[in-house]
């Protein structure tokens, strides 16, 4: 089955530690995204990547880092510089090729990773 | 800065009733307005979407109404069912065909509870 796999589902971190959240997709999508979800604030974009070896900051990139070495993978590292990292993190993907006019532009989300800082 | 404002934050409706969620946006360049449905512990999934060349779109019990001049759009859930209990997010973006990736700006979400 095609989809997006995020791991781990739950993660606990001590203050001062970096943690990396995994996101893998087998949908052959070009673009991938990381969103952070907090109660009452909707989903806020952290980073996104349109192609391998290229990524851009979203609205709340401070304290986060990403890499895109393979089309299928877009890991997110939450660094110790992120002041309030406890949140639900969602990875998403979408095809982005300009010729793909049949696409609805739909974002496909993984099931999320819940990070708690102790 | 929240470019898409969603209300209410939560609502409770009886089974069979109508759930109405409203969103307002500021960026006139937005031309794609999807709604996503999220069940607890899951990622959001696309429910229905509209572009500003139409004022209304209906899919089953779900209807989007769009008012371009007022820069508002809303989701109506007719004959609400307990299985509709979820969090609903409105969103907006510029045309994904032109934009650098489908960068959606999301509203704050509405938690809907349908009582049996």
């Amino acid at each position: 089955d095609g989809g997006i796999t995020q791991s781990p589902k739950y993660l606990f971190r001590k203050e001062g530690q970096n943690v990396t959240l995994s996101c893998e997709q087998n949908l052959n999508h070009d673009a991938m995204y990381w969103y952070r979800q907090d109660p009452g604030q909707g989903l806020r974009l952290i980073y996104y990547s349109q192609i391998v070896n290229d990524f851009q900051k979203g609205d709340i990139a401070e304290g986060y880092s990403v890499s895109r070495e393979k089309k299928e993978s877009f890991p997110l590292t939450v660094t110790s510089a992120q002041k309030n990292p406890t949140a639900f993190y969602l990875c998403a993907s979408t095809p982005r090729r300009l010729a793909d006019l049949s696409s609805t532009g739909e974002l496909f989300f993984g099931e999320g990773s819940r990070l708690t800082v102790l | 800065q929240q470019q898409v404002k969603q209300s209410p934050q939560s609502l409770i409706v009886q089974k069979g009733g109508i759930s109405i969620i409203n969103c307002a946006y500021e960026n006139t360049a937005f031309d794609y307005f999807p709604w996503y449905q999220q069940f607890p512990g899951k990622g959001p999934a696309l429910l229905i979407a509209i572009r500003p060349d139409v004022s209304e779109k209906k899919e089953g019990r779900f209807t989007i109404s769009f008012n371009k001049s007022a820069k508002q759009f809303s989701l109506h859930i007719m004959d609400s069912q307990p299985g509709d209990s979820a969090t609903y997010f409105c969103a907006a973006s510029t045309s994904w065909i032109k934009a650098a990736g489908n960068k959606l700006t999301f509203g704050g979400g509405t938690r809907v509870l349908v009582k049996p």
Side-chain angles (χ1 to χ4, degrees):
Chain A
D1 286 336
I4 299 177
T5 302
Q6 289 187 239
S7 63
K9 196 170 179 70
Y10 299 95
L11 185 61
F12 297 89
R13 186 195 97 173
K14 293 182 180 179
E15 284 192 21
Q17 289 182 335
N18 292 354
V19 293
T20 297
L21 308 180
S22 170
C23 177
E24 302 279 333
Q25 56 99 358
N26 60 4
L27 299 167
N28 199 32
H29 286 171
D30 296 290
M32 297 186 73
Y33 309 79
W34 274 104
Y35 283 89
R36 171 181 170 142
Q37 183 175 5
D38 297 282
Q41 296 195 51
L43 282 70
R44 293 180 291 167
L45 183 63
I46 304 173
Y47 269 97
Y48 66 102
S49 168
Q50 300 175 77
I51 56 174
V52 174
N53 293 324
D54 186 57
F55 49 82
Q56 286 80 40
K57 293 181 179 180
D59 301 318
I60 56 165
E62 184 175 351
Y64 300 98
S65 66
V66 294
S67 63
R68 186 83 187 277
E69 298 178 359
K70 298 187 300 181
K71 185 177 182 179
E72 303 80 18
S73 179
F74 192 40
L76 174 73
T77 296
V78 184
T79 75
S80 57
Q82 168 51 231
K83 298 188 188 311
N84 184 20
T86 294
F88 190 51
Y89 291 87
L90 287 159
C91 179
S93 71
T94 190
R96 67 166 285 272
R97 286 174 295 183
L98 299 181
D100 193 0
L101 297 178
S102 63
S103 175
T104 60
E106 176 180 357
L107 279 180
F108 294 82
F109 284 90
E111 295 207 334
S113 293
R114 186 167 297 280
L115 172 63
T116 302
V117 174
L118 303 174
Chain B
Q1 179 187 5
Q2 191 176 16
Q3 295 188 50
V4 179
K5 294 184 179 180
Q6 183 171 346
S7 62
Q9 283 194 331
S10 63
L11 69 92
I12 300 173
V13 62
Q14 292 294 128
K15 178 182 176 182
I18 302 174
S19 304
I20 301 174
I21 305 170
N22 300 299
C23 286
Y25 63 97
E26 299 167 2
N27 187 349
T28 54
F30 287 151
D31 63 356
Y32 173 64
F33 303 91
W35 286 87
Y36 282 77
Q37 179 188 54
Q38 183 182 33
F39 294 105
K42 303 293 184 183
L46 180 66
L47 183 64
I48 186 173
I50 197 169
R51 295 192 184 274
D53 52 343
V54 296
S55 60
E56 185 174 282
K57 183 174 182 179
K58 184 176 181 179
E59 288 185 3
R61 295 183 293 106
F62 299 90
T63 300
I64 299 179
S65 297
F66 184 79
N67 186 330
K68 187 175 181 179
S69 61
K71 292 186 287 184
Q72 295 176 347
F73 58 111
S74 61
L75 176 70
H76 290 61
I77 307 174
M78 313 299 287
D79 187 25
S80 296
Q81 299 297 311
D84 297 332
S85 297
T87 299
Y88 293 83
F89 293 96
C90 63
S93 75
T94 54
S95 173
W96 84 280
I97 295 175
K98 301 175 194 172
N102 189 11
K103 289 176 56 181
L104 287 175
T105 298
F106 285 87
T110 298
R111 183 173 288 184
V112 175
L113 176 63
V114 181
K115 288 193 168 182

